[in-house]
Amino acid sequence: MVDRVEKAGLRVETALARFVENDVLAPLGMDAGAFWQGFADLLAKHAPTNRALLAKRDELQAQIDTWHKERAGKPIDMTEYKAFLTAIGYLVPEPGDFVIGTANVDPEIATMAGPQLVVPVLNARFALNAANARWGSLYDAFYGTDALPDAPLAAGKGYDPARGAAVVAAGRKFLNDALPGWDAALTGGACPHAFATLTGGAKGVMFEHNGLYIEIHVDRDHPVGATDELGISDVVLESALTSIIDMEDSVAAVDAEDKLLAYANWLGLMNGTLTAEFQKGGETMTRSLEPDRTYALPNGETLDLPGRSLLFVRNVGHLMTNPAILLPDGSELPEGIMDAVITSAIARHDLDGLGQYRNSRAGSIYIVKPKMHGPEECAFTNTLFDAVEDLLGLARHTIKVGVMDEERRTSANLAACIHAVKDRIVFINTGFLDRTGDEMHTSMQAGPMIRKGAMKTSDWIDAYEKRNVAIGLKHGLSGKAQIGKGMWAAPDRMGQMLVEKVGHPRTGANTAWVPSPTAATLHALHYHQVDVFALREAIAAQGVPAIERLLTVPLADGVNWSAEELREELDNNAQGLLGYVVRWIDQGVGCSKVPDINDVGLMEDRATLRISSQHMANWLLHGVVTEEQVMDALRRMAAKVDAQNAGDPAYEPLVGNEDGCAFQAAKDLVFKGVEQPSGYTEPLLHAWRQVKKGAK
């Protein structure tokens, strides 16, 4: 029996109510009674709108499904298709010329270009690692990864001098390319890039290039510095300028217990008290937030720079509800509304200077809002944030919003979506996996889709990526907001990342997602190779790609796959689906390095699951594969996933446990995939996770 207490007609889980009142409101000097009454009034006004918007999604989807069914077997006429989408309100008129009016934005978001980390809020150690990833050792990143393909990895446990020499050489090449004449600053000469001198424990010089700082550490007593002709012991790069502390796709939070941990960790980041203990080399280590960094300027003054990444918090979208708080009618409250209120109240600790460090020096709260469908839903978020600001006594537009361009209706109406939040928007980005999942679900009834791997080179995805940047630039995001690109999912393949991910800044995007602090340091090299802001004028001049390309449905017209190709595709999808679901359902792990079918570790979250399950559901619907073939793939891949997790003592095998929650959830995600709202995986995952937690 869940212990609840009534607050202004709301039935709140007791531990959550105690946390909100004692840990969040009391330090802010806010009256708890007034807060709960205001929260209840806010829900009474906005929860019905939330439900109506979800009903609108279903209504539009039903009309699109009917349109495709009536034209089964016929090619899609783009003129007719666009007219239909306009008539039903799926496509809306362009808002005309405008520029965003967002103010009080920190430079890490508005005027700087660099990597962005995304981490699950439920894992305190990971969250701290991300917050501390603002600065990273280039030498360590080179030494410990495959980033130097022509140099062998370190041999043995001790220091490998050969590997070290290769790292130093790579570091020298970077410095020579980015900072011509840099060595003069270490030998008593003048260097135009030299900016300041390091103080405190580290000695050396700080440089500036493309708006990012570079530290050269000098220590002749260090094992590396002792062998360097200039005594250089390390090169440290400004790396993850921003990080997203995620309460959505990368976490398994299904009830008050989970949400309480999420909010507590967010509070610990905002007030500087979060710590995490872990074992390393047989010793217990404690991680906490890094302090700010101080430098000595040539004029005798000092310069303080943030020691930490600027933090966003990603709230839940509009779809899900949560039993942590029940409305007066006994129904669960919309989880996204709860997140907006509580994460903003927690972030007010930062604005009020109650923490050990400052997150936003500009006085803003940064919330990423995912999975919004079109400008109506963006406008609702804007209105909701107005109400949260009023509840918490914040000035209008203190709460900034990041719009995830990951749903088809948002992509097709991106300018109107930006316009709906034009005075608080600080972020747009693209996300291949969720966007592909929605692409498939929206046109589910149109016919069988191309293979999953072919999606990356299809016409719609190219238009999607280019339109996102072009529309953002057209409406004044440059200098006021981030334009971002998606995740590099393979944390063990840094050499490949160095080759490929430079493409993201070359699009004009001033940030892109990376899976680890090490990846952030290596991806930072790309922002020294590419001056993003200098590129933008030329990119903007290319204009916005036609919407017809974006709306091209990726159908596999006339393709007859071989039995081997069908088996290969099913196995790939089934393995990825099971590998993720078994950890989510059984262990409550929302994001981890999951081996793919080729045993390559990939950082996966619910977006990965959405595309795999929707692809299998699509092929099943159109008779490309049978139910028996799908079940055969699930059973064979269950054995593979079991083998891949054999070393995990907490792992519960899938083979021989088809009645277990994890395997049942995997089946539902495929066989009930067509009927899931927008193809989302959350309703089924949450339901089966709650069953599993109840069983435990």
Side-chain angles (χ1 to χ4, degrees):
M1 187 73 177
V2 177
D3 184 23
R4 297 184 182 276
V5 60
E6 184 169 323
K7 300 288 183 181
L10 305 174
R11 295 179 59 211
V12 187
E13 199 278 336
T14 301
L16 178 62
R18 188 180 303 119
F19 167 79
V20 169
E21 293 180 2
N22 297 340
D23 299 319
V24 180
L25 301 179
L28 295 171
M30 293 185 64
D31 179 74
F35 169 82
W36 289 116
Q37 186 60 59
F39 195 178
D41 293 344
L42 183 153
L43 284 164
K45 181 176 182 179
H46 296 291
T49 305
N50 198 135
R51 287 192 290 269
L53 289 169
L54 297 178
K56 178 69 174 292
R57 291 184 190 179
D58 294 340
E59 176 188 337
L60 289 174
Q61 186 62 56
Q63 291 175 287
I64 293 170
D65 286 345
T66 299
W67 192 87
H68 284 305
K69 287 177 183 178
E70 290 174 348
R71 289 158 181 77
K74 299 179 181 179
I76 296 174
D77 180 276
M78 186 55 67
T79 301
E80 181 186 7
Y81 183 47
K82 279 181 59 183
F84 160 70
L85 294 178
T86 301
I88 66 173
Y90 185 94
L91 288 179
V92 303
E94 289 285 314
D97 291 335
F98 73 94
V99 294
I100 66 170
T102 313
N104 302 320
V105 184
D106 286 273
E108 292 92 334
I109 293 170
T111 58
M112 299 175 71
Q116 186 168 68
L117 275 167
V118 186
V119 292
V121 69
L122 295 182
N123 190 311
R125 182 181 173 187
F126 288 1
L128 287 164
N129 287 348
N132 292 339
R134 178 63 173 263
W135 302 88
S137 165
L138 181 61
Y139 278 12
D140 286 351
F142 277 151
Y143 189 87
T145 70
D146 67 346
L148 303 178
D150 297 329
L153 289 172
K157 293 185 177 181
Y159 179 68
D160 184 334
R163 179 71 175 174
V167 167
V168 170
R172 284 290 203 276
K173 183 180 186 308
F174 162 69
L175 293 174
N176 291 336
D177 290 343
L179 307 169
W182 62 272
D183 51 339
L186 275 68
T187 58
C191 173
H193 303 282
F195 189 82
T197 303
L198 278 61
T199 63
K203 304 299 181 184
V205 181
M206 183 172 72
F207 301 80
E208 185 275 333
H209 179 253
N210 282 0
L212 298 173
Y213 293 120
I214 303 165
E215 295 179 354
I216 296 180
H217 291 201
V218 177
D219 183 355
R220 294 189 181 277
D221 294 328
H222 188 277
V224 175
T227 62
D228 188 287
E229 60 181 349
L230 295 176
I232 298 173
S233 58
D234 204 354
V235 176
V236 174
L237 303 186
E238 196 171 15
S239 300
L241 299 180
T242 56
S243 289
I244 297 174
I245 307 301
D246 188 24
M247 299 201 177
E248 193 234 2
D249 259 4
S250 68
V251 302
V254 302
D255 54 24
E257 177 187 33
D258 297 332
K259 295 300 290 189
L260 181 56
L261 176 58
Y263 295 144
N265 283 351
W266 176 237
L267 176 61
L269 289 168
M270 288 295 96
N271 63 24
T273 61
L274 186 65
T275 60
E277 289 189 351
F278 58 97
Q279 295 294 316
K280 184 175 182 180
E283 295 184 32
T284 299
M285 312 288 288
T286 301
R287 184 145 296 157
S288 58
L289 289 171
E290 290 288 332
D292 290 336
R293 301 163 85 93
T294 300
Y295 304 86
L297 297 173
N299 62 6
E301 297 180 359
T302 59
L303 171 70
D304 291 327
L305 291 178
R308 300 157 310 285
S309 193
L310 181 72
L311 303 182
F312 288 78
V313 60
R314 181 159 66 168
N315 286 182
V316 170
H318 296 323
L319 175 65
M320 296 303 294
T321 61
N322 194 284
I325 299 177
L326 301 181
L327 299 176
D329 64 3
S331 63
E332 298 179 359
L333 92 168
E335 190 173 355
I337 295 180
M338 178 172 69
D339 275 358
V341 170
I342 297 180
T343 63
S344 295
I346 290 170
R348 213 193 103 176
H349 284 235
D350 175 56
L351 302 189
D352 287 4
L354 300 178
Q356 186 176 0
Y357 307 112
R358 293 304 302 266
N359 183 47
S360 171
R361 287 164 166 76
S364 291
I365 295 169
Y366 299 107
I367 295 179
V368 175
K369 190 66 178 177
K371 295 180 171 57
M372 293 190 288
H373 293 245
E376 282 181 292
E377 296 193 10
C378 292
F380 170 63
T381 292
N382 191 62
T383 301
L384 173 63
F385 285 4
D386 282 351
V388 174
E389 287 164 346
D390 292 343
L391 173 64
L392 299 177
L394 298 171
R396 185 64 74 236
H397 304 138
T398 295
I399 304 174
K400 306 301 193 288
V401 68
V403 174
M404 301 279 293
D405 180 6
E406 56 188 349
E407 308 300 330
R408 194 172 188 256
R409 185 152 52 112
T410 293
S411 299
N413 301 285
L414 184 57
C417 290
I418 294 172
H419 188 268
V421 289
K422 65 183 179 64
D423 292 320
R424 67 169 84 244
I425 188 164
V426 289
F427 166 107
I428 58 172
N429 83 331
T430 54
F432 166 75
L433 291 171
D434 259 313
R435 181 62 181 79
T436 303
D438 196 55
E439 184 74 21
M440 290 191 292
H441 189 84
T442 302
S443 305
M444 179 66 71
Q445 299 292 341
M449 299 288 166
I450 59 178
R451 293 183 67 174
K452 187 169 69 174
M455 289 285 183
K456 293 182 179 180
T457 56
S458 57
D459 202 42
W460 75 265
I461 196 82
D462 180 68
Y464 161 64
E465 294 285 359
K466 290 177 178 176
R467 281 173 58 89
N468 179 274
V469 176
I471 291 171
L473 295 179
K474 179 179 178 181
H475 296 295
L477 269 69
S478 189
K480 295 181 180 179
Q482 284 180 330
I483 300 176
K485 294 297 177 185
M487 179 66 78
W488 178 265
D492 297 330
R493 297 197 166 184
M494 293 293 96
Q496 186 180 356
M497 186 195 77
L498 280 178
V499 173
E500 296 183 20
K501 202 168 174 67
V502 69
H504 280 157
R506 285 175 178 164
T507 67
N510 62 316
T511 196
W513 287 3
V514 288
S516 69
T518 296
T521 297
L522 292 172
H523 184 41
L525 296 173
H526 295 141
Y527 297 91
H528 291 285
Q529 295 176 32
V530 180
D531 186 342
V532 171
F533 291 96
L535 283 178
R536 284 183 164 177
E537 185 175 348
I539 292 170
Q542 297 172 9
V544 179
I547 195 171
E548 286 80 3
R549 290 185 60 212
L550 180 78
L551 295 175
T552 302
V553 180
L555 297 175
D557 294 324
V559 177
N560 291 309
W561 290 289
S562 68
E564 181 180 354
E565 288 174 319
L566 294 177
R567 179 184 171 108
E568 181 183 66
E569 189 71 15
L570 282 178
D571 285 357
N572 185 29
N573 281 317
Q575 187 276 338
L577 184 152
L578 287 167
Y580 181 73
V581 166
V582 71
R583 295 184 183 181
W584 210 101
I585 299 296
D586 289 346
Q587 299 181 23
V589 176
C591 182
S592 62
K593 189 166 67 173
V594 179
D596 71 2
I597 198 166
N598 299 311
D599 299 315
V600 175
L602 301 178
M603 296 301 295
E604 297 195 346
D605 63 14
R606 285 200 301 257
T608 314
L609 189 62
R610 188 181 183 194
I611 184 174
S612 296
S613 58
Q614 285 296 291
H615 197 272
M616 295 175 80
N618 173 262
W619 275 19
L620 190 62
L621 174 68
H622 293 285
V624 177
V625 294
T626 66
E627 182 176 337
E628 291 74 19
Q629 287 174 304
V630 171
M631 284 302 303
D632 179 60
L634 288 171
R635 288 178 174 131
R636 283 184 293 100
M637 291 303 104
K640 182 172 182 64
V641 170
D642 282 354
Q644 290 175 323
N645 288 275
D648 181 358
Y651 181 78
E652 299 179 37
L654 293 161
V655 174
N657 192 25
E658 289 190 13
D659 291 333
C661 293
F663 197 88
Q664 290 296 314
K667 284 176 57 180
D668 281 354
L669 286 163
V670 178
F671 295 115
K672 298 179 181 179
V674 173
E675 64 200 61
Q676 294 310 298
S678 305
Y680 289 131
T681 62
E682 289 93 316
L684 289 171
L685 285 177
H686 279 231
W688 281 110
R689 175 62 182 162
Q690 287 170 342
V691 171
K692 183 68 178 181
K693 290 186 75 172
K696 287 185 175 180

